[in-house]
């Protein structure tokens, strides 16, 4: 008995220690975030929920935690914050995403950010940070996105950044950096890198020699050897003179030879970066240009067994490159028109510049007289649509937390296309089949930019409707004119797909006398207060009802018939993060009540129109009724 009681004491002690350490960790993270709040000016009370009396910061807006209540994400982009970062932020040991872009934060970037060894994305662009880039950032081995552009950073670029092998995006443009630029060959071959608009940078990449280094110049002119009679007259002296001359020539030519060798080592033959005199319009930087033969070999001659999917833009094939990496090759379906090559190149360049962790990154392309192909990374978990409706029986369904992450991630990707691309990119076919999932089931928006890419041949038609029935916004269907609000409508339908597991348009619902359109079917069930019948049966009641209601509310706000009434995608992101949904939903319900009353008592000769100020106006309608 004593031995058993001793075991129980040990177990209780272990549980208490674990609970205590968890509380200490939560306290430490909460204190760190509270210190951050105390050093930031918050004119719009974005940080109002950051209550220091609460031990666990996981209940705060703009803070995301994992299942163990550790902070993994801080999203404060475009929040009009000013002030400075604090070193204590380095205590968030499990932080994966730090989003502080688009504010007016000043002062240095703390060296303590180098302690965030789990960091995947560090977005500090569009602020006013000063001082050097910390060398400690080189310790962030998991970092994939590092964007420090559009600040006032000074000093040199740390060589330690070349140690980050996972880096996919590096943008240091529009700062005040100086000194030599690290050899871009030290970074990953496909890492988009930008050092532009740093006037004091130097080195081969910039075309400006660094002080104290030999200038980039061609080797000195070749000096012909002495005449035969001279050599014959004094052979030893001529040999010595020739050796000295050759040595001097080699000494002066060494920098040029090194530079030529360095240029030769760079795999420029793989990139569409031809000399200006051959094609002055093509400047696609580090976007790889594949040969058709490469992609034929990778896809086994575009074999049917490698088809991943078919769509309005063409077929997608699974391929394996010579380096062993898996890719998805999209073979575009189009009619060839003269003069289309330049426009194709321009649109490809635009697509390649949209880089965000929730957007499918264009890896390369291939263009021949008969083919147009785009090459993307292979997404191991397919699309949301395939996971919802085409998964093998042995594969578990998407659980509710994963579906929530997909909703938020895809919203962030679309918001980036609308608000951070210049010119903005309208997707025009947002649906579950175009939301892909990487190895960690992170949402990645695919097929963006392709509608524009495929429309370049329509020189006199600019209103061709592209999309999928059930996802197309009513104004797009009637006018053919798309905007970011048509994407918002498609996103709302995609949310309903996530919640219900059903197709946006399904004739099979007719068997139960239900609406074939998913939106109408959902509204009918909501009217009958049958929320439980909406939720995907695959979830087996393992969901939080309040969260389902919130996602449905966001979906209905996004699918309003008037595009003016729909929120922007940036507003959708905030609502999904818990900011402003209740107020927006309350306003919407007031409007719906008035509209229902109008529908019950319509006027014979006029229609009542509710404007954005919630005032009713009678408008006479001409023509037959």
């Amino acid at each position: 008995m004593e031995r058993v009681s001793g075991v129980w004491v040990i177990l209780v002690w272990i549980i208490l220690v674990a609970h205590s350490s968890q509380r200490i960790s939560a306290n430490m993270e909460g204190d760190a975030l509270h210190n951050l709040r105390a050093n930031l000016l918050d004119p719009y009370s974005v940080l109002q929920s950051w209550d220091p009396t609460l031990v666990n910061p996981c209940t705060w807006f703009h803070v995301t935690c994992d299942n163990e209540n550790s902070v993994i994400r801080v999203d404060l982009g475009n929040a009009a914050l000013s002030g400075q970062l604090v070193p204590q932020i380095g205590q968030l040991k499990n932080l994966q995403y730090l989003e502080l872009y688009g504010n007016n934060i000043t002062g240095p970037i703390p060296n303590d950010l180098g302690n965030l060894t789990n960091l995947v994305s560090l977005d500090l662009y569009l602020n006013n940070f000063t001082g050097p880039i910390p060398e400690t950032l080189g310790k962030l081995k998991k970092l994939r996105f590092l964007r420090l552009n559009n600040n006032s950073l000074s000093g040199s670029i740390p060589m330690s950044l070349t140690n980050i092998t996972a880096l996919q995006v590096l943008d240091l443009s529009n700062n005040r950096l100086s000194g030599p630029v690290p050899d871009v060959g030290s970074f990953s071959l496909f890492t988009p890198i930008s050092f532009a608009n740093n006037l004091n940078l130097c080195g081969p990449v910039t075309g400006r020699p660094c002080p104290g280094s030999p200038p980039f110049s061609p080797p000195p002119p070749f000096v012909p050897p002495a005449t035969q009679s001279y050599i014959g007259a004094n052979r030893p002296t001529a040999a010595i003179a020739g050796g000295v001359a050759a040595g001097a020539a080699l000494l002066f030519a060494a920098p040029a030879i090194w530079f030529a060798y360095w240029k030769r080592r760079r795999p420029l033959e793989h990139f569409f970066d031809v000399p200006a005199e051959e094609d002055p319009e093509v400047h696609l930087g580090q976007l790889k240009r594949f040969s058709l033969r490469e992609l034929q070999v990778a896809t086994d001659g575009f074999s049917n067994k490698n088809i991943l999917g078919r769509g309005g833009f063409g077929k997608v094939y699974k391929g394996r490159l010579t380096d062993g990496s898996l890719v998805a090759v999209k073979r575009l379906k189009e009619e060839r028109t003269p003069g289309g090559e330049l426009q194709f190149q321009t649109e490809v360049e635009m697509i390649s510049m949209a880089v965000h962790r929730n957007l499918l990154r264009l890896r390369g392309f291939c263009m021949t007289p008969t083919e147009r192909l785009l090459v993307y990374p292979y997404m191991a978990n397919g699309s949301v649509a395939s996971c919802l409706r085409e998964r093998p029986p042995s594969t578990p369904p998407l659980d509710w937390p994963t579906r929530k992450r997909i909703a938020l991630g895809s919203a962030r990707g679309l918001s980036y296309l609308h608000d951070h691309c210049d010119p903005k990119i309208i997707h025009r076919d947002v649906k579950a089949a175009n939301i892909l999932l990487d190895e960690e089931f992170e949402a990645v928006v695919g097929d963006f930019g392709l509608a524009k890419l495929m429309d370049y041949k329509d020189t006199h038609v600019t209103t061709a409707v592209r999309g999928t029935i059930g996802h197309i916004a009513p104004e797009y269907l009637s006018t053919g004119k798309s905007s970011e609000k048509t994407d918002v409508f498609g996103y709302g339908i995609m949310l309903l797909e996530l919640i219900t597991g059903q197709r946006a348009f399904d004739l099979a619902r007719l068997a139960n006398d239900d609406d074939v359109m998913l939106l109408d079917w959902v509204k009918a069930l909501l009217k009958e207060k049958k929320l439980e019948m909406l939720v995907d049966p695959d979830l087996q009641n393992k969901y939080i009802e309040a969260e389902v209601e919130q996602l449905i509310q966001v979906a209905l706000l996004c699918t309003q018939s008037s595009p003016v009434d729909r929120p922007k995608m940036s507003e959708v992101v905030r609502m999904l993060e818990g900011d402003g949904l209740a107020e927006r939903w309350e306003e919407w319900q007031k409007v719906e009540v008035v509209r229902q009353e109008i529908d019950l008592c319509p006027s014979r000769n006029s229609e009542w129109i509710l404007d954005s100020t919630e005032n009713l106006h009678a408008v006479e309608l001409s023509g037959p009724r």
Side-chain angles (χ1 to χ4, degrees), residues 580-599:
L581 175 58
E583 296 84 355
R584 189 80 182 243
W585 181 249
E586 186 178 355
E587 292 175 7
W588 182 82
Q589 286 181 308
K590 290 178 183 176
V591 173
E592 283 298 298
V593 168
V594 175
R595 282 180 176 148
Q596 289 172 11
E597 291 175 354
I598 295 168
D599 291 339

Side-chain angles (χ1 to χ4, degrees), residues 39-198:
N39 280 270
L40 294 176
L41 297 177
D42 181 18
Y44 297 114
S45 300
V46 174
L47 306 178
Q48 186 176 8
S49 65
W50 289 27
D51 186 352
T53 62
L54 298 176
V55 172
N56 192 344
C58 299
T59 58
W60 300 352
F61 289 160
H62 311 292
V63 175
T64 305
C65 294
D66 59 14
N67 294 331
E68 298 178 357
N69 288 331
S70 294
V71 175
I72 59 172
R73 191 170 198 140
V74 175
D75 289 292
L76 292 171
N78 293 323
L81 301 171
S82 58
Q84 295 191 359
L85 290 189
V86 292
Q88 288 87 344
I89 204 166
Q91 297 173 2
L92 305 176
K93 300 296 185 183
N94 295 295
L95 192 67
Q96 298 176 20
Y97 300 93
L98 181 57
E99 310 288 333
L100 293 170
Y101 56 85
N103 291 290
N104 191 31
I105 302 175
T106 57
I109 298 174
N111 290 323
D112 301 73
L113 293 187
N115 297 329
L116 305 176
T117 52
N118 286 301
L119 205 60
V120 172
S121 178
L122 178 59
D123 282 331
L124 304 181
Y125 60 92
L126 287 170
N127 280 284
N128 197 25
F129 285 105
T130 55
I133 300 172
E135 284 272 357
T136 55
L137 297 185
K139 298 191 295 184
L140 306 179
K141 302 300 183 183
K142 297 181 181 179
L143 196 64
R144 289 188 286 172
F145 302 91
L146 177 58
R147 286 179 277 232
L148 306 178
N149 50 293
N150 295 84
N151 281 286
S152 298
L153 297 170
S154 58
S156 60
I157 299 173
M159 282 296 297
S160 61
L161 297 184
T162 61
N163 298 328
I164 310 176
T165 55
L167 203 59
Q168 294 179 9
V169 176
L170 174 63
D171 195 343
L172 306 178
S173 60
N174 298 296
N175 279 288
R176 300 173 182 173
L177 299 172
S178 59
V181 175
D183 181 358
V184 293
S186 303
F187 294 97
S188 172
L189 186 60
F190 297 106
T191 302
I193 303 172
S194 180
F195 304 120
N197 296 328
N198 285 279

Side-chain angles (χ1 to χ4, degrees), residues 352-466:
S352 70
M353 295 300 290
V355 181
H356 186 273
R357 66 176 171 279
N358 294 118
L359 296 177
L360 185 62
R361 183 167 60 90
L362 182 61
R363 181 168 177 175
F365 75 107
C366 174
M367 182 178 68
T368 74
T370 58
E371 294 282 357
R372 300 283 191 272
L373 300 112
L374 301 176
V375 182
Y376 297 95
Y378 175 71
M379 292 289 109
N381 287 306
S383 69
V384 171
S386 64
C387 288
L388 289 175
R389 298 183 287 267
E390 301 166 11
R391 59 183 179 83
S394 58
T395 304
L398 296 173
D399 59 24
W400 181 247
T402 301
R403 298 188 196 211
K404 284 196 306 175
R405 281 206 329 272
I406 291 169
L408 183 55
S410 54
R412 286 180 173 135
L414 290 170
S415 177
Y416 185 88
L417 290 177
H418 293 174
D419 299 331
H420 295 278
C421 291
D422 186 18
K424 69 176 62 176
I425 297 177
I426 309 300
H427 193 293
R428 290 165 61 178
D429 196 17
V430 179
K431 57 184 179 182
N434 283 335
I435 308 299
L436 307 178
L437 301 173
D438 66 10
E439 296 84 354
E440 300 169 353
F441 286 91
E442 182 79 16
V444 179
V445 179
D447 271 10
F448 62 89
L450 291 193
K452 186 73 162 57
L453 181 67
M454 297 295 285
D455 278 350
Y456 70 79
K457 58 183 176 293
D458 298 327
T459 54
H460 63 286
V461 179
T462 58
T463 57
V465 174
R466 292 193 180 274

